[in-house]
């Protein structure tokens, strides 16, 4: 594990001499982790209306990564939170939040607190779900706002509607001290089975009416409207101009009826399309003043999120053990999935169920996102390296090695 992290640190270090390093030093950071929010709804219309008009507009004013992948496994929302905040892989079974909440990790809240930030996490549900109370305490957040801290004035699904959740979260942030803040917010209204109150179902979904993907699209549209209101709330609170806003989806929606996707997207769905639909979630960074708005095509993943934030704030990754690499850096590495699959942006590898690397399927990716089956040594070497990454992550988590590595480095 030590030599693996030494090599990774060298790769991460490249960002320190690259554009944007430290350009947003001291700015607030607001992270929105959106429940089951997948990339295929972005830019998509149904019944003549955009599903995500607010996000589509925001993407034009942001740095957008259309090839961002979630890296979650059985721990679902908690895995997404762990991967993005602590820059490590989830475990192959269960949730790190539940199984290893007592271990030490280098996670974003503690890293930013070292730089004088106030670190809070906001989620309008029971604080014990996914063992968040314990894990967030361990991650060193200053405060965890749970359902108890919200007025349930807009009941939707499991709890509070995202519109009200974001509005009340901005109020909470306004009441905190003058430090710059790092705030993690976890939305909930688009949770399976996606049934919104009738009055919130604003789209005409045609043939998808009464189908689960129709309900999902309605929920995605609702979340999009909540993001629109969040932006308005931040502007009203005079926070918009000094806050970096990051938005990403946590994991897929568990809907695998491909005929429904064909109805929505209007084209046949191949096997590679299926894998990529399941794994792709949107990711955007909005910088104050709409600066650096662009589309970056490289393949990136949730574990790269914390190093990316550190890049913008000018925080060196040297003292920490993180597995990701800043998405804004030229330094390249593959995105590794928990099942042993990976992509480097030019090939995409889907492992076989027997786990034998050579038996997996290798695709060459075209620029339009489609993929053709191929036989490539890049898939074999990439899959071997993915296997190594996963086993390093597993060993570090299982044996609580971060404090050991930390001590060795001193
Ligand atoms: C509940 C929410 C949902 O608090 O985060 O988690 P999920 O079921 O999507 O993993």
């Amino acid at each position: 594990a030590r030599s693996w992290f030494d090599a990774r640190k060298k790769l991460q270090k490249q960002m320190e001499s690259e554009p944007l390093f430290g350009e947003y030093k001291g700015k607030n950071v607001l992270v929105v982790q959106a429940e089951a929010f997948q990339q295929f709804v972005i830019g998509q219309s149904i019944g003549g209306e955009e599903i995500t008009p607010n996000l589509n507009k925001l993407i034009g004013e942001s740095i957008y990564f259309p090839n961002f992948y979630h890296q979650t496994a059985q721990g679902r929302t908690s895995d997404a939170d762990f991967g993005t905040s602590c820059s490590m892989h989830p475990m192959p079974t269960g949730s790190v939040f539940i199984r290893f909440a007592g271990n030490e990790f280098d996670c974003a809240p503690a890293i930013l607190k070292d730089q004088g930030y106030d670190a809070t996490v906001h989620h309008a549900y029971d604080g014990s779900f996914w063992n968040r109370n314990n894990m967030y305490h361990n991650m060193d957040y200053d405060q965890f706002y749970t359902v108890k801290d919200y007025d349930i004035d807009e009941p939707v699904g499991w709890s509070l509607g995202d519109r009200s959740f974001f509005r009340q979260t901005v109020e909470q942030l306004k009441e905190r001290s003058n430090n710059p803040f790092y705030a993690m917010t976890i939305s909930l209204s688009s949770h399976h089975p996606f049934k919104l109150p009738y009055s919130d179902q604003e789209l005409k979904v045609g043939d998808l009416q009464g189908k689960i993907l129709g309900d999902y699209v309605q929920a995605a549209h609702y979340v999009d409207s909540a993001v629109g209101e969040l932006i308005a709330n931040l502007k009203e609170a005079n926070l918009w101009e000094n806050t970096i806003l990051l938005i990403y989806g946590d994991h897929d929606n568990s809907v695998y009826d491909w005929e429904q996707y064909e109805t929505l997207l209007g084209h046949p769905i191949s096997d590679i399309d299926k894998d990529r639909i399941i794994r792709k979630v949107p990711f955007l960074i909005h910088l104050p003043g709409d600066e650096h708005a662009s589309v970056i095509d490289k393949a990136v993943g949730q574990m790269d999120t914390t190093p990316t934030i550190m890049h913008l704030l000018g925080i060196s990754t040297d003292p920490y053990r993180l597995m990701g690499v800043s998405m804004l850096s030229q330094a390249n590495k593959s995105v590794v999935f928990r099942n042993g699959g990976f992509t480097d942006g030019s090939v995409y590898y889907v492992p076989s169920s027997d786990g034998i690397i050579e038996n997996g399927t290798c695709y060459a990716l075209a620029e339009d996102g489609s993929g053709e089956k191929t036989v490539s040594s890049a898939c074999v070497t990439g899959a071997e390296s993915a296997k190594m990454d996963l086993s390093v992550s597993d060993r570090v988590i299982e044996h609580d090695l971060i404090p050991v590595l930390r001590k060795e480095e001193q």
Side-chain angles (χ1 to χ4, degrees):
R2 191 175 343 129
S3 57
W4 191 96
F5 274 100
D6 286 347
R8 185 49 45 102
K9 276 172 194 274
K10 277 202 194 112
L11 198 64
Q12 291 166 336
K13 186 129 191 98
Q14 195 175 315
M15 74 179 187
E16 292 182 33
S17 53
E18 290 181 310
L20 264 59
F21 184 76
E23 199 172 314
Y24 294 88
K25 197 175 184 56
K27 295 289 180 203
N28 300 318
V29 180
L30 177 59
V31 181
V32 173
Q33 177 172 298
E35 172 62 34
F37 208 84
Q38 290 187 242
Q39 209 244 353
F40 69 85
V41 293
I42 300 293
Q44 183 67 41
S45 292
I46 191 161
E49 254 193 86
E50 289 174 283
I51 300 171
T52 59
N54 293 291
L55 281 162
N56 296 346
K57 179 168 179 290
L58 183 62
I59 282 168
E61 298 159 355
S62 302
I63 307 179
Y64 182 60
F65 291 85
N67 294 304
F68 179 85
Y69 295 86
H70 80 79
Q71 294 172 291
T72 66
Q74 291 176 349
R76 305 292 284 165
T77 296
S78 69
D79 280 353
D81 194 343
F82 177 67
T84 52
S85 309
C86 309
S87 196
M88 296 198 71
H89 285 280
M91 291 301 280
T93 54
S95 156
V96 176
F97 269 38
I98 291 174
R99 296 180 58 201
F100 300 101
N103 287 12
E104 285 186 40
F105 301 104
D106 287 331
C107 308
I111 295 171
L112 270 73
K113 275 177 72 173
D114 279 349
Q115 308 291 319
Y117 276 74
D118 178 46
T120 55
V121 53
H122 310 249
H123 180 56
Y125 196 58
D126 187 338
S128 64
F129 200 87
W130 284 126
N131 198 27
R132 284 184 173 105
N133 284 329
N134 291 324
M135 187 65 182
Y136 288 158
H137 178 74
N138 182 24
M139 285 163 78
D140 208 20
Y141 277 108
D142 288 301
Q143 194 164 339
F144 174 21
Y145 291 86
T146 73
V147 68
K148 292 190 189 136
D149 301 292
Y150 289 85
D151 177 12
I152 307 297
D153 56 3
E154 187 203 354
V156 174
W158 285 20
S159 157
L160 177 64
D162 290 346
R163 281 184 192 148
S164 176
F165 166 65
F166 287 133
R167 182 174 37 74
Q168 294 185 54
T169 298
V170 172
E171 289 301 318
Q172 290 159 354
L173 290 172
K174 270 171 33 185
E175 279 164 22
R176 296 197 63 90
S177 69
N178 291 326
N179 290 334
F181 65 73
Y182 169 74
M184 171 78 171
T185 66
I186 300 157
S187 76
L188 190 55
S189 299
S190 44
H191 198 281
H192 197 275
F194 321 117
K195 271 273 173 221
L196 288 183
Y198 191 67
S199 57
D200 285 324
Q201 298 182 23
E202 291 177 349
L203 294 171
K204 292 189 183 64
V205 298
D207 291 344
L208 290 177
Q209 187 64 41
K211 304 247 166 80
I212 189 152
L213 199 62
D215 291 340
Y216 176 74
V217 160
Q218 297 282 18
H221 186 67
Y222 168 85
V223 174
D224 177 81
S225 76
V227 169
E229 287 188 28
L230 169 67
I231 296 168
N233 293 331
L234 289 168
K235 285 182 178 166
E236 215 172 294
N238 286 326
L239 290 170
W240 184 243
E241 286 308 325
N242 51 13
T243 299
I244 302 169
L245 173 67
L246 296 93
I247 304 181
Y248 63 88
D250 60 359
H251 53 67
D252 69 281
N253 61 12
S254 310
V255 177
Y256 311 122
D257 178 340
W258 299 106
E259 264 178 38
Q260 294 186 36
Y261 286 91
E262 288 177 353
T263 304
L264 173 68
L265 303 175
H267 60 76
I269 312 257
S270 65
D271 284 348
I272 171 94
D273 289 341
K274 290 177 190 165
D275 212 81
R276 295 182 88 209
I277 285 175
I278 290 171
R279 289 193 196 284
K280 269 190 177 191
V281 289
F283 183 94
L284 68 85
I285 306 172
H286 180 267
L287 295 168
D290 301 343
E291 284 168 355
H292 305 291
S294 52
V295 175
I296 301 182
D297 280 325
K298 70 191 271 194
V300 289
Q302 283 171 333
M303 283 167 47
D304 302 319
T305 307
T306 290
T308 306
I309 294 171
M310 294 166 81
H311 187 148
L312 291 166
L313 301 183
I315 306 170
S316 172
T317 47
D318 260 0
Y320 307 104
R321 281 125 302 259
L322 307 165
M323 297 189 90
V325 170
S326 167
M327 300 176 215
L328 299 166
S329 169
Q330 293 300 316
N332 260 320
K333 62 141 193 62
S334 299
V335 183
V336 172
F337 309 128
R338 184 60 258 190
N339 67 352
F342 82 95
T343 180
D344 61 2
S346 50
V347 294
Y348 189 99
Y349 173 77
V350 180
S352 73
S353 51
D354 62 13
I356 298 170
I357 286 181
E358 285 71 14
N359 291 350
T361 313
C362 184
Y363 295 91
L365 292 178
E367 260 186 33
D368 65 358
S370 62
E372 285 294 325
K373 273 190 194 161
T374 185
V375 177
S376 161
S377 60
C379 269
V380 176
T381 46
E384 277 161 3
S385 149
K387 199 171 171 189
M388 172 62 87
D389 290 12
L390 291 164
S391 86
V392 168
S393 185
D394 292 351
R395 257 180 288 156
V396 168
I397 295 171
E398 231 158 2
H399 303 288
D400 199 11
L401 293 183
I402 288 200
V404 179
L405 292 166
R406 199 178 279 154
K407 222 183 222 157
E408 281 175 0
E409 285 166 26
Q410 273 163 7

